[in-house]
Amino acid sequence: MGRIRKHPASHSRPAEDDIRNQEVLRANRELAAYFKGRRTEREARAALKTIKAFIRDREHSDPAARRPLPIAGAVRESSKGAGSRAAASRPRRRLLRPVAPRPALVPTPSTPLGPGPESRETPPKNDEE
């Protein structure tokens, strides 16, 4: 069975280009989340394929006619929300849970910690004595 190929992105349709740019931005976030340990390798590979396809498509177009690369921070809110957004954009510190102390290792008859049974203080009693 043959492989189904997608049609190349149309540079004359800005709506499709915007959708593709959003998809690339999402893939970038997925890839960043993988490096932070929040996504699986499988999800990262899928995101990387999306990014590589976007770059491959850009290479085939004329450099003078290329649209600028999608940037995540390109869409900004008004200056009124800038003060509250600055606090929200700061990275949050991870709260570490206190580590519970380990219980002391208590020797049990099945797991002796000291010398083995052959080096006892008193020799075993013989039946003939």
Side-chain angles (χ1 to χ4, degrees):
M1 187 167 167
R3 188 178 209 184
I4 298 173
R5 294 183 183 232
K6 293 182 180 179
H7 298 291
S10 171
H11 298 290
S12 62
R13 297 182 181 164
E16 288 181 13
D17 288 341
D18 288 339
I19 291 172
R20 184 151 188 175
N21 288 346
Q22 290 173 4
E23 187 178 354
V24 170
L25 291 174
R26 182 203 53 81
N28 279 335
R29 285 192 303 268
E30 292 279 328
L31 200 58
Y34 165 71
F35 287 110
K36 293 177 184 175
R38 296 181 186 144
R39 296 289 185 277
T40 63
E41 183 179 351
R42 186 176 193 171
E43 291 168 325
R45 286 179 186 269
L48 194 58
K49 284 182 182 181
T50 302
I51 294 167
K52 287 173 88 173
F54 176 78
I55 292 171
R56 199 177 310 119
D57 184 54
R58 275 181 64 87
E59 289 175 347
H60 292 299
S61 64
D62 182 31
R66 286 183 191 157
R67 294 183 64 192
L69 290 171
I71 301 173
V75 179
R76 295 282 176 168
E77 295 177 6
S78 65
S79 61
K80 293 178 183 177
S84 62
R85 183 163 176 91
S89 66
R90 273 188 258 137
R92 294 183 182 175
R93 294 188 66 176
R94 290 179 57 186
L95 297 176
L96 299 177
R97 290 183 286 160
V99 178
R102 287 185 149 177
L105 195 58
V106 178
T108 60
S110 62
T111 59
L113 289 181
E118 55 274 344
S119 64
R120 294 183 185 163
E121 296 281 331
T122 59
K125 294 183 180 180
N126 292 338
D127 291 332
E128 299 173 5
E129 286 188 359

